[in-house]
Amino acid sequence: MIGENRGTMKKIAVLTSGGDAPGMNSAIRAVVYSASCMGIETIGILRGYDGLIDWETRALTKNDVRDINNRGGTILYSSRCERFFEETYRKQAAEQLRANGIDALVAIGGDGTMRGAIDLGKEGVNVICIPGTIDRDVSCSEYTLGFDTAANTATDAIDRIRDSSISHGRCSVVEVMGRKRGYIALWAGMAASADAIVLPEKWDGNFDHIMDMLRKHHAEGRDSYLVVVAEGVTDAAELANLILKETGIESRVSELGYIQRGGSPTAKDRMYGSLMGAYAVELLKEGKANQMVAIKNDLLISYNLEEALDIQNNELDSFQYQLSLSLSE
Ligand code: F6P
């Protein structure tokens, strides 16, 4: 039984699952280094929960991970594992860990990874989760790995788009990632002084506010216009057509896409990845399991995984949201 090894660990595994996020490599690196310092061997599971089911692995030593802090993506690859929705495969995954003498698993990913980890816990596996997703959609944690890099990449791209909008006096409708959570749109939109930001948490299907704001700014003689839209909220091309029809402002669409997931992580993502990875191993050393690493008031803490799931919500920071409205006036 995996649980019987608590406090006397010999071998742990680490995987990355769901959408890749800058900073995941720093977390992997810190897991390997921390484990190695305690005389614990680390096995890397490839391609997330898919690799766990099929036991696709590679041993990880300090040498293997020494120089990965600056690399985007994840050296362990990732997947969105459909099979993990089926109990048979989850049991197979747990059995793989047992058969290979793994005392605990560190799973790095977002909401879906956390749910998978809860199910693995029910199969008797000791799991620690690290929040890694550019969407910042793990509510129990103030930070998720990758968000800072993604928000900065989006801001930089929008700044470049703005240069061209100014030259042509156009409106740019920029679609950013964040299917269910609008933090990338909110932060990049505010950072790039958007005229309007369309967020999944706040969208009521009414375009009036956007059009009113653009008309007002047009009347003030602005040299360019910017609307940032979180993907999946509304069709960016339709919105651009509507802007032309309703306000007379020529509009162009830019979809930033996967550029936001790639690239070298910012110092913040490298630092938080390192902190979270080391903390995950520390929790295991203390004999804790089925925990979610989180940041609260800028400190590392952990929640029981079920408790972390209960905290999940789709609320946006209301002060940040209100500020985004007043700063777009
Ligand atoms: O990882 C988060 C995310 O990038 C979301 O912002 C986006 O909606 C989704 O993943 C895209 O997923 P996929 O990689 O499966 O296309």
Side-chain angles (χ1 to χ4, degrees):
M1 180 74 181
I2 291 166
E4 286 168 5
N5 282 318
R6 286 180 191 184
T8 56
M9 287 179 301
K10 297 272 184 298
K11 213 196 279 188
I12 62 171
V14 58
L15 61 77
T16 48
S17 156
D20 60 332
M24 282 180 161
N25 283 332
S26 293
I28 296 167
R29 180 178 186 270
V31 166
V32 174
Y33 265 67
S34 307
S36 168
C37 286
M38 295 175 202
I40 300 167
E41 195 185 328
T42 306
I43 301 297
I45 313 277
L46 306 181
R47 281 174 253 287
Y49 290 133
D50 271 319
L52 185 55
I53 294 167
D54 301 329
W55 203 247
E56 271 190 86
T57 64
R58 61 175 278 203
L60 291 175
T61 65
K62 281 164 77 173
N63 252 341
D64 296 317
V65 296
R66 185 159 289 129
D67 294 326
I68 64 171
N69 264 339
N70 61 339
R71 286 172 59 180
T74 156
I75 62 154
L76 293 177
Y77 313 116
S78 192
S79 67
R80 298 195 189 277
C81 179
E82 291 296 325
R83 291 184 293 168
F84 227 61
F85 291 109
E86 293 177 44
E87 193 184 0
T88 321
Y89 288 111
R90 297 198 295 265
K91 284 194 183 303
Q92 187 175 323
E95 192 42 46
Q96 294 282 27
L97 290 166
R98 267 188 283 273
N100 288 282
I102 306 292
D103 300 316
L105 172 70
V106 177
I108 308 166
D111 178 66
T113 306
M114 176 167 71
R115 288 169 203 273
I118 290 173
D119 290 333
L120 271 180
K122 288 179 186 154
E123 299 298 335
V125 177
N126 293 326
V127 199
I128 304 286
C129 259
I130 293 178
T133 159
I134 64 165
D135 288 355
R136 220 187 112 181
D137 65 351
V138 176
S139 308
C140 71
S141 184
E142 285 162 9
Y143 193 69
T144 64
L145 299 179
F147 173 72
D148 189 57
T149 308
N152 275 293
T153 302
T155 303
D156 178 63
I158 295 171
D159 284 348
R160 289 162 193 266
I161 291 166
R162 172 79 88 176
D163 290 345
S164 179
S165 320
I166 293 171
S167 304
H168 292 267
R170 286 173 178 156
C171 174
S172 288
V173 177
V174 182
E175 184 186 286
V176 299
M177 275 190 165
R179 210 170 1 210
K180 293 186 194 133
R181 302 310 305 268
Y183 275 111
I184 298 175
L186 183 70
W187 278 50
M190 278 180 75
S193 317
D195 300 76
I197 305 171
V198 185
L199 303 162
E201 296 88 342
K202 303 288 177 187
W203 181 238
D204 59 2
N206 189 341
F207 293 97
D208 290 351
H209 170 75
I210 303 171
M211 301 306 155
D212 288 348
M213 193 61 81
L214 290 172
R215 279 190 209 101
K216 176 172 168 278
H217 291 172
H218 194 37
E220 288 167 6
R222 303 261 177 120
D223 61 4
S224 62
Y225 313 87
L226 171 66
V227 179
V228 176
V229 187
E231 65 169 348
V233 181
T234 185
D235 187 292
E238 275 177 28
L239 177 55
N241 286 334
L242 197 65
I243 290 170
L244 175 63
K245 194 168 144 232
E246 296 266 323
T247 68
I249 304 169
E250 191 184 10
S251 301
R252 292 284 189 274
V253 174
S254 300
E255 194 183 311
L256 299 190
Y258 294 92
I259 189 176
Q260 296 158 97
R261 287 239 294 258
S264 187
T266 57
K268 177 167 180 170
D269 278 321
R270 298 181 200 195
M271 184 64 183
Y272 277 72
S274 305
L275 289 169
M276 288 179 178
Y279 189 65
V281 177
E282 195 58 38
L283 289 171
L284 288 171
K285 194 185 93 182
E286 288 168 11
K288 295 193 178 146
N290 306 328
Q291 299 283 305
M292 170 59 110
V293 172
I295 301 287
K296 192 170 183 190
N297 298 327
D298 217 17
L299 292 174
L300 283 161
I301 58 161
S302 73
Y303 289 94
N304 173 277
L305 279 171
E306 301 265 7
E307 196 189 344
L309 190 65
D310 285 344
I311 299 172
Q312 277 298 80
N313 61 52
N314 72 342
E315 284 162 25
L316 208 58
D317 183 294
S318 62
F319 182 73
Q320 290 180 16
Y321 173 62
Q322 289 305 329
L323 190 61
S324 77
L325 295 178
S326 46
L327 294 183
S328 63
E329 285 286 321

